[in-house]
Amino acid sequence: MHEMAIAEGVLDIALDYAKQNDAKCIREIGLLIGDMSGVVVDSLTFSFDMIAKGTLAEGAEIKVKHVPLVGRCTKCGKDFRIEHYDFWCPECKDGVLKIVSGREMQVEYLEVD
Ligand SMILES: [Zn+2]
């Protein structure tokens, strides 16, 4: 039920924004979802549609942009994309990686009327 909690958070943000902007309806919600955020997009949109019923966000379209998992080597400082959970630095084949992006989940933009 991880996605339900996230959907509620997204709906709160969208409704707040609509209120501040005197909007009559929310058309589109852009989300940034990190590849390692663990969010299942289908469950998220499903949960959202369910709880958005009867609110200004009913029928809003959810556009998801995936954020790749990027790590930074703590030894040589290089940034690179982590694929297949390969957490070794490709430059120095050493070092401990710090995750730079890919774990986030945030609202990128909102389109209202
Ligand atoms: Zn390195």
Side-chain angles (χ1 to χ4, degrees), residues 73 75-77 89 91-92 94:
C73 175
K75 202 172 176 189
C76 67
C89 172
E91 279 294 299
C92 61
D94 197 3

Side-chain angles (χ1 to χ4, degrees), residues 19-59:
K19 212 163 138 191
Q20 279 162 26
N21 290 278
D22 271 329
K24 282 179 216 59
C25 85
I26 296 159
R27 291 217 172 278
E28 199 173 299
I29 301 169
L31 296 180
L32 288 175
I33 295 181
D35 278 350
M36 220 177 87
S37 63
V39 176
V40 180
V41 175
D42 282 351
S43 324
L44 177 60
T45 49
F46 178 80
S47 305
F48 186 85
D49 286 348
M50 214 159 68
I51 59 171
K53 276 207 176 77
T55 72
L56 294 179
E58 181 167 359

Side-chain angles (χ1 to χ4, degrees), residues 72-78 80 88-97:
R72 177 171 298 153
C73 175
T74 53
K75 202 172 176 189
C76 67
K78 192 179 163 56
F80 52 90
W88 290 103
C89 172
E91 279 294 299
C92 61
K93 312 282 180 208
D94 197 3
V96 180
L97 292 185

Side-chain angles (χ1 to χ4, degrees), residues 50-103:
M50 214 159 68
I51 59 171
K53 276 207 176 77
T55 72
L56 294 179
E58 181 167 359
E61 202 177 331
I62 295 191
K63 294 265 169 80
V64 172
K65 214 186 270 176
H66 289 276
V67 181
L69 186 57
V70 175
R72 177 171 298 153
C73 175
T74 53
K75 202 172 176 189
C76 67
K78 192 179 163 56
D79 282 357
F80 52 90
R81 203 169 156 169
I82 300 165
E83 274 165 310
H84 312 298
Y85 293 91
D86 183 2
F87 290 96
W88 290 103
C89 172
E91 279 294 299
C92 61
K93 312 282 180 208
D94 197 3
V96 180
L97 292 185
K98 235 182 85 201
I99 305 293
V100 178
S101 74
R103 283 200 295 212

